[in-house]
Amino acid sequence: MKCQHCGINFDDSERECPICGARAGSKGRLGAEPKRASRARGTTPERESRVEYQSAKARPAGRRARTSAKPIQENRKKNNGRVIIVVIIIFVLVNLLPSIISAVSEVWDNFTYSFDSLTGSSDAYTDTYDDDLVYVPGEDYSYDPDNYRFVRADLQTLTGGRAAAELADGSTLELEVEPGEMGDYVLTVQDGTGTYTENGYTWCSYNYPEELSYDENFPPDQYDCFTLSLSAEAYFYSDGSAVPERYALDEYGERWFLLYYAPESGVVVLEDLNGSPLFEADEYVALATLENG
């Protein structure tokens, strides 16, 4: 006989199980049918629920999901990029703004001058600047470095309009100037081989004795000294042949001189500042006024 409680086999003649002491023939746990847990259709079995519960329970309590730091880093990179762009824009504006303002101012001045020329309004714009002085022969001009004032001169007033000089090499030089503080000029040099002709406009400004521009041969108590510029607009030699090196202009197409003028005698002397061979061996060239016509 098999004990229904502990599962051991013992003799049928015995009335009790020799192991667990249960009565022979009594029902035990081994003889009962297993019970099935009833559940509603569609519900989760108890074992699966237990597994899910244990899985949820296995997560440590009190821990929260931590947000990733990556978005913060991206925002910082974006902010850094914006700062760099702003710095570049400021740098460009600081460096280019003066040039832009200067260009706009120049365009505006040219427009104003053109408009005044068309309308005939000379009060708004004149040939001289408001703070500049106009040279008058024999007049004294006080030097004030803290309130410097340019003294502009009409070259025709100094040369008489047409003046000429004979150079040491036998060349003859003639300078003809139109009225005005930036009057047009024609420079002609006959060098024995051909004739050089140049035309453009003049600019002449008085030099104060305190500026130490005077040569010792032309002291300020006898001469007034000027800086003279001839800005060439066109030039040619003889019948269109190549222009000799003697007549070369500077890199800006200009010639620069010191002009010494004696108010009492009217003597005019030129000193070349370019170091060009225009005057050949002559260091100073005295101009003699010619009769017009």
Side-chain angles (χ1 to χ4, degrees):
M1 180 179 294
K2 184 176 182 179
C3 179
Q4 299 297 315
H5 295 274
C6 64
I8 191 174
N9 293 321
F10 60 92
D11 192 271
D12 292 340
S13 60
E14 293 183 5
R15 300 180 66 178
E16 294 179 351
C17 175
I19 299 300
C20 65
R23 293 177 56 187
S26 62
K27 295 181 178 181
R29 62 183 183 85
L30 297 180
E33 295 182 357
K35 295 184 179 180
R36 296 182 178 180
S38 62
R39 60 185 179 88
R41 181 177 298 177
T43 59
T44 305
E46 181 180 357
R47 182 178 62 83
E48 296 177 358
S49 299
R50 185 180 298 112
V51 172
E52 291 180 0
Y53 172 76
Q54 291 177 351
S55 175
K57 186 176 181 180
R59 178 181 296 176
R63 299 182 69 182
R64 295 182 179 179
R66 185 175 59 185
T67 57
S68 174
K70 187 174 182 180
I72 298 176
Q73 293 177 351
E74 291 178 352
N75 290 337
R76 289 178 179 175
K77 291 180 179 179
K78 291 180 179 179
N79 291 334
N80 291 338
R82 292 173 182 172
V83 172
I84 293 173
I85 292 174
V86 171
V87 171
I88 292 174
I89 292 175
I90 294 175
F91 177 80
V92 172
L93 289 177
V94 169
N95 286 272
L96 294 183
L97 191 58
S99 299
I100 295 174
I101 294 175
S102 177
V104 172
S105 178
E106 184 177 354
V107 171
W108 174 254
D109 290 341
N110 292 335
F111 170 77
T112 304
Y113 176 74
S114 300
F115 179 78
D116 293 338
S117 299
L118 292 174
T119 58
S121 175
S122 58
D123 295 335
Y125 191 95
T126 61
D127 290 338
T128 58
Y129 297 97
D130 293 339
D131 294 335
D132 291 351
L133 300 175
V134 177
Y135 175 79
V136 177
E139 186 171 332
D140 293 329
Y141 298 96
S142 299
Y143 177 72
D144 184 0
D146 297 327
N147 186 27
Y148 189 89
R149 302 184 70 180
F150 283 98
V151 182
R152 302 185 182 275
D154 183 344
L155 184 59
Q156 190 199 46
T157 302
L158 305 178
T159 64
R162 290 183 65 225
E166 184 174 348
L167 307 182
D169 65 346
S171 301
T172 58
L173 179 148
E174 183 177 332
L175 180 63
E176 184 174 358
V177 184
E178 296 292 330
E181 293 173 14
M182 297 183 71
D184 294 338
Y185 76 92
V186 177
L187 173 67
T188 305
V189 180
Q190 296 180 355
D191 55 19
T193 302
T195 301
Y196 173 77
T197 304
E198 172 186 304
N199 60 72
Y201 61 92
T202 64
W203 179 85
C204 191
S205 178
Y206 172 77
N207 296 318
Y208 294 94
E210 291 82 358
E211 295 176 303
L212 305 178
S213 299
Y214 289 70
D215 187 276
E216 61 181 4
N217 296 312
F218 306 99
D221 59 340
Q222 299 178 29
Y223 292 88
D224 288 336
C225 179
F226 302 83
T227 298
L228 170 63
S229 171
L230 303 181
S231 299
E233 296 178 324
Y235 54 87
F236 60 91
Y237 187 74
S238 293
D239 297 328
S241 56
V243 177
E245 185 66 23
R246 171 179 181 174
Y247 306 108
L249 299 159
D250 68 9
E251 59 182 328
Y252 302 105
E254 299 173 338
R255 301 185 188 279
W256 289 85
F257 306 90
L258 283 181
L259 185 150
Y260 298 98
Y261 172 72
E264 294 184 2
S265 62
V267 173
V268 176
V269 178
L270 292 180
E271 178 185 358
D272 183 21
L273 291 179
N274 285 99
S276 69
L278 176 65
F279 295 159
E280 290 293 326
D282 294 273
E283 184 177 2
Y284 305 101
V285 173
L287 299 177
T289 302
L290 301 176
E291 294 291 336
N292 292 322

